[in-house]
């Protein structure tokens, strides 16, 4: 995750860290926390670039690109 987000053209400069919060072998589920340092009150930045779907799609696109 660190490599994916730190190399992202859209979010790389804001990305600070990724940390595993919880891991389950039974269900192959990982809960993680991403930390970003965002500019103060940039119009639309939080709503667009920090949108959970946008962040998830960056990871999804990276996975597709590796195939």
């Amino acid at each position: 995750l660190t490599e994916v987000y730190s190399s992202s053209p859209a979010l790389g400069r804001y990305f600070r860290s990724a940390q595993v919060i919880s891991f389950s072998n039974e269900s192959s589920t990982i809960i993680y926390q991403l930390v970003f340092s965002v500019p103060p009150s940039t119009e639309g930045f939080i709503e667009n670039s920090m949108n959970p779907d946008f962040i998830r799609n960056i990871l999804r696109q990276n996975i597709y690109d590796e195939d």
Side-chain angles (χ1 to χ4, degrees):
L1 288 175
T2 298
E3 185 177 327
V4 170
Y5 288 105
S6 62
S7 65
S8 165
L11 296 177
R13 68 183 139 198
Y14 308 112
F15 178 74
R16 296 298 171 248
S17 66
Q19 178 180 356
V20 174
I21 303 298
S22 175
F23 180 80
S24 170
N25 283 328
E26 292 177 18
S27 64
S28 298
T29 302
I30 299 172
I31 298 174
Y32 55 89
Q33 177 182 24
L34 300 174
V35 178
F36 295 90
S37 176
V38 298
S41 301
T42 303
E43 176 127 358
F45 180 82
I46 297 296
E47 294 81 11
N48 297 315
S49 295
M50 292 289 107
N51 178 302
D53 290 331
F54 182 78
I55 294 171
R56 193 171 20 255
N57 285 336
I58 288 176
L59 178 58
R60 187 174 291 138
Q61 185 63 48
N62 182 269
I63 292 167
Y64 293 148
D65 289 347
E66 288 184 2
D67 289 339

